[in-house]
Amino acid sequence: MRELARPVAAVLLALLCALPAAAACQLRAHERVVLFGAGDDPGVLLWDSRFRLRAYHAASFDEAQDMIARALLVTAGTRAIVIACLPQFVQPRYGLTLDDAVEVRILTGPLHGRSGWVLGSDARR
Amino acid sequence: MFVLLIAVEGAFQTRASIADTFNREAEMQRAQIDLQEMLRLQINEENSLRGFVLTRDPFYVQQYALASAQWAAKETAVHNALVDERLGTALQMLDEYDTVQTRWRREIALPLLTRPRSELVELDKKNKAFVDYQAQTADGVRAILVVTSAALVRSTQDQINRSSYMRAFWLLIFGLLAILFNAYGSRLTRELHEERMVSDVLQEAFRSAHVPVPNCEIGARYLSASARLRVGGDVYDVFLLSEKRALLLIADVSGKGVDAAVLTAFVRFTVRSIALRHVDPGNILTEFNETFGRTVDNPSLFITMLVGVLDCSDGSFTYASAGHDSAYVRRSTSVESLPVTGPLVGVIEATYGTKSVQLAVGDALVLATDGLTEARARSGELLGERAAMDLIGAAPREAQALADYLAVHVRKRSGNRPTDDLALLVVRYAGEDGGDA
């Protein structure tokens, strides 16, 4: 799968060049949010490090499988509060747009009190 | 015509090209829909699996198997579309999607179908990784399909625009050519009309003519060997020198057509001019022969001609003949030939003699060119002098009727295609009374 990196990077670069200038972070500190996955699986992965969050989304499938043990799966609908936000920090492997990395503290559910990093698109106001 | 064919052929090619692009664009749209359908079927597989784990109902296994089969069919359809469009990167992404889905079935689905468990936390997390990854690869394929589809739409639009410009261009060229051809045609028509006008004026100027002569009845005919021209190398002329005296002229210039006609005009007016100064026809011819030699450079040109002066008061006719042997006097009971009095004009310097004949009332001078005696039958046989004289003897008495009779005979003999010009001048002496003898 590594051989895909170059052509995919070329496609992404071409697409990204067409995008408008980067915007500011979508969320601000102290904002309360609900975690809800934007993909087909509404569960949200909570990562112990923003770099691991970014690496997971840029990784090949095998790499992602290896990394998954370092994440917690948060049930969709869990409430949280924003601690920090890094604008356009995450570049999905095949996605068209950059995503924010948001640090949150879980307020409800079995993981209440835990902190970690989630994708900006998974944290809804 | 060539330009029109190119334009039509180009329009057909453009139409085929646009139709092809439309088909490709439609295939890209179908591939996007199939890809979306794959994601839906993937979720169906996952939900069927969860349903089975929670209920142990075999119905969910059937649903799972059905969704798996449908997913494979859709994957093949998308794969073929990407191959057709030669989208290598998207193909690699789709293969990766397929690989991950196969691994999901093997690593997540199969263990759960074999040993359903209610504890799914770790499995859910792993499943999340699968689903996220598949969603990403599918997004990548979709992005390429969208870009390709947009490029095809642009290409179609470009082809339509180009086709419109080309059509306008060819129409412009065709229109310009039509205008040019029309202008050229008009110019040719105008030039032709002008030439025709000049030709008509010249023909009128060169045409033989006669004026009424006192005590005489005059008939004349002219047959041209050229179908389009009313003039040729033969000429006759009747010109009043005084109240009583008329100049009669008949001549045959070597050659045919306009060139010969130009020379006949020279003959007519020069002879008239000389005749105003000389009474004797022999002197007229002698001077004309000198003038001709000085004026005309072409040594191959020569003229047979007869110049005579008719005294209208008494019917005496004096003449000089330069090798012109087609001249006759028709009497009441016979036809006589008028002998020549000198050589052809334009050959040598010569002095021409003068002869006289006396016309009785009712007698007619029949002056012709060699078109009469040399009138050729279809077999090639010439009419000859004897037959010509017989013909004159059998002709009607009236001057014009006699001329018409001879002309009709010559035309009929040659099958309506005379090979030589023919000039006929008939002067019938009617005497002081003007009565018929």
Side-chain angles (χ1 to χ4, degrees), chain B residues 11 22 68 90 139-140 176 208 260 278 289 343 349 351 389 434 437:
Chain B
F22 268 128
S68 296
D139 281 348
L176 283 175
S208 298
H278 293 286
N289 187 37
E349 286 187 12
T351 302
M389 290 170 73

Side-chain angles (χ1 to χ4, degrees), chain A:
Chain A
M1 294 180 189
R2 284 181 185 281
E3 62 272 18
L4 283 176
R6 187 168 291 178
V8 167
V11 170
L12 288 175
L13 187 63
L15 292 171
L16 288 173
C17 286
L19 293 174
C25 208
Q26 296 293 312
L27 296 169
R28 284 179 295 182
H30 309 302
E31 267 193 281
R32 288 176 179 271
V33 292
V34 176
L35 300 180
F36 197 92
D40 298 324
D41 187 336
V44 174
L45 290 174
L46 183 72
W47 293 90
D48 54 352
S49 151
R50 60 182 184 272
F51 298 107
R52 224 178 309 276
L53 166 68
R54 182 164 67 176
Y56 170 76
H57 285 284
S60 68
F61 181 69
D62 288 329
E63 290 167 344
Q65 284 286 81
D66 292 340
M67 293 168 68
I68 199 77
R70 307 295 295 268
L72 295 172
L73 184 62
V74 179
T75 310
T78 300
R79 294 182 182 282
I81 186 166
V82 175
I83 298 170
C85 182
L86 293 173
Q88 301 187 345
F89 187 71
V90 180
Q91 180 179 315
R93 185 174 168 81
Y94 297 131
L96 297 177
T97 53
L98 296 175
D99 209 339
D100 299 340
V102 180
E103 186 181 15
V104 294
R105 180 184 295 278
I106 303 295
L107 298 179
T108 58
L111 299 176
H112 176 264
R114 299 289 291 265
S115 296
W117 291 85
V118 296
L119 273 182
S121 56
D122 287 347
R124 323 288 178 94
R125 283 192 178 95

Side-chain angles (χ1 to χ4, degrees), chain B residues 185-226:
Chain B
S186 299
R187 192 177 141 196
L188 283 181
T189 306
R190 194 172 59 247
E191 286 178 354
L192 199 65
H193 180 66
E194 285 172 358
E195 277 185 21
R196 179 67 58 81
M197 279 179 64
V198 170
S199 172
D200 287 348
V201 169
L202 287 176
Q203 289 194 42
E204 200 58 40
F206 298 157
R207 220 169 137 189
S208 298
H210 63 78
V211 293
V213 175
N215 303 336
C216 292
E217 183 190 331
I218 297 178
R221 277 299 295 269
Y222 194 99
L223 291 181
S224 175
S226 167

Side-chain angles (χ1 to χ4, degrees), chain A residues 4 43 61-62 71 93-94, chain B residues 92 96 103 125 128 130 133:
Chain A
L4 283 176
F61 181 69
D62 288 329
R93 185 174 168 81
Y94 297 131
Chain B
Q92 287 176 314
E96 197 175 348
R103 282 183 62 176
K125 204 161 70 175
K128 167 75 175 168
F130 271 102
Y133 199 84

